[in-house]
Amino acid sequence: MQRIELTGRAMRPGDVAQLGHGDAWGDIAPEGLARAQTAAQVADRVAARQQVYGRNTGVGANRTQAVEPGDTDHGLRLLRSHAGGIGAPVAAEGIRAMLAVRANQLLAGGAGVSPRIIEAIVTALNANALPEIHEYGAVGTADLTALAELGLTLLGEAPWTGAGPAPVEFGPGDAVALMSSSALTIGQACLAWSEATRWLDAAHAVSALTFIAVDGSMEPYAQAVHERKPHLGVVASARFLRALLDGQSVKAARLQDPYAVRCVPQIHGAALAALDNTERILAVEINAAAENPLVSATEEAVFHHGGFHQVQLTQVMDAL
């Protein structure tokens, strides 16, 4: 099987789709694990001198409540309280995609999560040992519910489907650090993007065959036409059609073809643009250190923020 390196910096939507479909093996890059280790150490040092949300405080309405240093059950309580998913189990490919995304994001070094948790996630992914994640449920922001269910499985409180890794001990801030992501949504979006890419490749081939069957005119696909109105997706679609039809001896049957033949570049081009925009946004999300709070090793600081908001992903997925 192909091996895909998880660095926290360079994963692509196509990599997530391959891992989601079980067609590749994930390898943790040493530099990514070192980055995660540094972030965890920084988070501990910052929390020793100030309040850090979810690490030494409660969450939500309890965010002003301090958590005592010896309270080892804090993370477990957070995971249990957020693991309220309902409905049917998420399909296996969606869960594998979620695991791939979350492991890679954690390697970006912004969560401050213990590296042993990342290693356990990748071990489970490669063993095809999956947590049971329910289709519906959210508490607040991001995929907190789904990732809380993953957290309880990593702890050994919920079962794996398959031979999963040994239970992992969670540190004081690991629960919030693990949950603070939209990894399930992002993983499922990568699978949808990959499937739509396949459909559009096929649609261009079907369009070219249709063109031949009806003795179409090449004029609507001419480079000269699209140089005058150069929308990138439309230009690319016309170029694909010219390449597919290259060498075909077709005599146009009419002065001007119906819309269905004439406007293929415009319609398929819009879809190509939506795919490109989706891929661009997903590539950012997959490699993002967007956890709240965010650990910065270079500044030896923790930032509380709203980087979990998914309006960018929402817009491109609606378009796609």
Side-chain angles (χ1 to χ4, degrees):
M1 287 174 59
Q2 182 180 345
R3 305 185 81 89
I4 293 175
E5 190 175 45
L6 281 66
T7 67
R9 296 285 174 86
M11 181 175 274
R12 304 294 301 176
D15 298 329
V16 175
Q18 278 192 281
L19 290 164
H21 288 300
D23 295 333
W25 182 279
D27 288 331
I28 297 176
E31 66 270 21
L33 204 61
R35 197 181 302 120
Q37 177 68 56
T38 299
Q41 293 167 345
V42 169
D44 287 340
R45 289 196 294 269
V46 173
R49 63 176 186 263
Q50 69 182 61
Q51 285 193 324
V52 176
Y53 181 81
R55 187 170 286 265
N56 55 14
T57 76
V59 300
N62 295 318
R63 63 188 177 277
T64 59
Q65 302 298 313
V67 174
E68 296 301 322
D71 188 350
T72 56
D73 288 336
H74 174 52
L76 178 59
R77 289 196 304 271
L78 289 178
L79 292 172
R80 285 174 174 171
S81 65
H82 286 71
I86 61 172
V90 172
E93 63 182 14
I95 299 175
R96 284 192 295 263
M98 180 191 79
L99 296 177
V101 169
R102 194 65 192 118
N104 191 69
Q105 290 176 326
L106 293 171
L107 292 169
V113 73
S114 303
R116 61 182 176 270
I117 292 176
I118 307 172
E119 292 174 318
I121 292 172
V122 176
T123 296
L125 173 65
N126 289 334
N128 196 31
L130 306 179
E132 185 175 59
I133 306 297
H134 292 92
E135 184 178 12
Y136 300 118
V139 183
T141 58
D143 290 328
L144 299 179
T145 298
L147 291 164
E149 291 180 325
L150 168 61
L152 289 179
T153 310
L154 288 165
L155 276 169
E157 184 162 301
W160 297 98
T161 58
V168 180
E169 181 183 349
F170 273 54
D174 286 336
V176 162
L178 175 67
M179 289 190 290
S180 185
S181 167
S182 296
L184 176 59
T185 300
I186 295 165
Q188 291 174 318
C190 288
L191 294 170
W193 166 86
S194 177
E195 188 73 4
T197 300
R198 290 176 55 246
W199 291 344
L200 195 53
D201 286 344
H204 276 98
V206 170
S207 296
L209 291 168
T210 302
F211 173 94
I212 294 169
V214 301
D215 297 326
S217 168
M218 285 295 293
E219 290 180 14
Y221 309 155
Q223 183 174 345
V225 171
H226 298 286
E227 285 176 345
R228 305 297 180 90
K229 190 177 179 182
H231 289 302
L232 295 180
V234 181
V235 170
S237 180
R239 185 172 64 248
F240 292 160
L241 289 164
R242 290 196 302 272
L244 288 167
L245 294 167
D246 185 44
Q248 296 294 324
S249 179
V250 178
K251 183 178 180 181
R254 60 199 67 80
L255 176 65
Q256 181 166 278
D257 289 326
Y259 277 5
V261 177
R262 213 181 337 146
C263 295
V264 170
Q266 285 73 25
I267 295 171
H268 288 191
L272 281 176
L275 282 171
D276 288 346
N277 287 336
T278 303
E279 182 181 20
R280 177 175 54 82
I281 295 297
L282 284 172
V284 172
E285 294 290 342
I286 293 163
N287 298 289
E291 294 83 8
N292 178 46
L294 176 69
V295 180
S296 173
T298 55
E299 299 182 5
E300 190 79 11
V302 168
F303 295 88
H304 298 87
H305 63 93
F308 47 78
H309 203 292
Q310 288 297 346
V311 64
Q312 302 284 345
L313 184 57
T314 299
Q315 288 178 333
V316 295
M317 289 306 294
D318 279 351
L320 182 59

